[in-house]
Amino acid sequence: MKPVIVPTSDVNSEHGLLVAWFVDDGAKVEADTLLAEIETSKAVLEVVAPEAGIVLHLAERLQEVPLADPIAMLFETSADLAEYVRERETRAAAAAAAPAPVRASVKAVQRAAEVGVDLATLQLGRLITVKDVEAAARETGGHDDLPAPLAAEPGVQRILLIGGALGATQVLDILAGSATQRAVAIVDDDRQRWGADVHGVPIVGGTDRLDALFAEGAYDAAIIAIGTSVETRRRFREVCAEARIPLANAIDPTAKIATDVVLGQGNIICAFAHLGTGVRMGDNNFLSAYTSFDHHSRIGSDNATGPSCVSSGKVTVGDRVRLGTGIFIEPDVVLGDGVVVASGAVIVQSVPAEHAVKTKVVTTTVVPQRRSGR
């Protein structure tokens, strides 16, 4: 029995999307057979069989998988596979029948008694902390004990951020230099974040509060502060459109944008980005630092880039395109809707919709420096 692990040097990603299986469950394969394809925020990775054997899928297509866990197992014989499946089913049945033990810190037990939370209802698969207990208490108690959105000076656009992770820190850094916009609240569907703050801006609950807070006049426009998933960006843009919540642009003061550029709404343009003359950009794009689209390029909506993506002039980018880090695009290239480009790619020809551009991962060896004697 041999586990099949995703080979990756992408230290920025802990999970990936299993976009394709190239062999059936139970198929017999040879060593180095292409088994699957995994997509991270920076790369498209091919997974090959480390040895010959019979394949057992451990994940489904379009499932998000931890990169540290095996996505499949290889077995020498059908009998070995059948025995493994029987043992796994037996363990699963026993686990389902037995009550799950409650693992909680001493302080979490004390806090649960104070706020009336039943620890047995928190089946987290790990040690329960005080933070978990307080998040459960907030969920039970509704939004009354959550912080209120901040106020802003008259005439300043009040911004609500959707997403309270690393993307929020980037947007907040941009807005910190603005005299016309101020972030007043953040919503995030991770309940463990509720009641906390990011750089002083409170997380006031989940995205289910978008409509109510807007109706109350708590904010004027939203920004989707999520840079790793174009599908999530698209989904929240549509949620805001349906609720008639306007999106605002967040543009770093160091960005260079030509005077005749036409921008849609909800775009995040980070430090030292560049949009050349004649560029037309749609809605809800996330351009990371040092990204440049040169003259007369066309960019659609719901796209996201890593840092230092550089295009020549007259490049066309569709919708829901994801670019990794350090990508170069030649003139007149067209990237269709849903294209994914791995970090380090040099694109010299157009890419059809829903295709991926891969790059080979180069193994780098770190060795001690040679120092001459003194």
Side-chain angles (χ1 to χ4, degrees), residues 97-235:
V102 176
R103 296 175 56 243
S105 68
V106 173
K107 290 184 178 179
V109 173
Q110 294 171 346
R111 185 60 175 154
E114 292 171 357
V115 298
V117 170
D118 182 1
L119 292 177
T121 64
L122 305 183
Q123 300 297 333
L124 304 179
R126 56 172 173 77
L127 184 71
I128 298 170
T129 65
V130 171
K131 191 175 180 180
D132 299 323
V133 172
E134 292 178 344
R138 287 195 296 270
E139 181 179 356
T140 304
H143 302 111
D144 293 341
D145 57 346
L146 290 175
L150 303 175
E153 296 294 326
V156 173
Q157 187 182 41
R158 298 166 301 164
I159 303 297
L160 177 141
L161 303 188
I162 300 173
L166 294 180
T169 65
Q170 293 177 274
V171 176
L172 291 175
D173 183 66
I174 293 173
L175 297 181
S178 173
T180 60
Q181 295 175 301
R182 184 185 182 190
V184 297
I186 302 170
V187 292
D188 193 297
D189 288 331
D190 182 352
R191 293 181 179 271
Q192 294 189 37
R193 300 182 192 272
W194 292 10
D197 69 85
V198 181
H199 296 340
V201 180
I203 301 177
V204 299
T207 57
D208 59 332
R209 300 198 70 195
L210 281 168
D211 288 9
L213 289 171
F214 187 65
E216 293 168 9
Y219 67 98
D220 303 309
I223 293 176
I224 301 166
I226 299 167
T228 56
S229 171
V230 294
E231 284 300 330
T232 302
R233 293 189 64 81
R234 176 197 59 78
R235 177 166 60 87

Side-chain angles (χ1 to χ4, degrees), residues 257-279:
I257 299 178
T259 55
D260 62 346
V261 167
V262 177
L263 289 178
Q265 297 300 314
N267 296 297
I268 300 169
I269 302 178
C270 294
F272 302 104
H274 165 251
L275 297 178
T277 183
V279 167

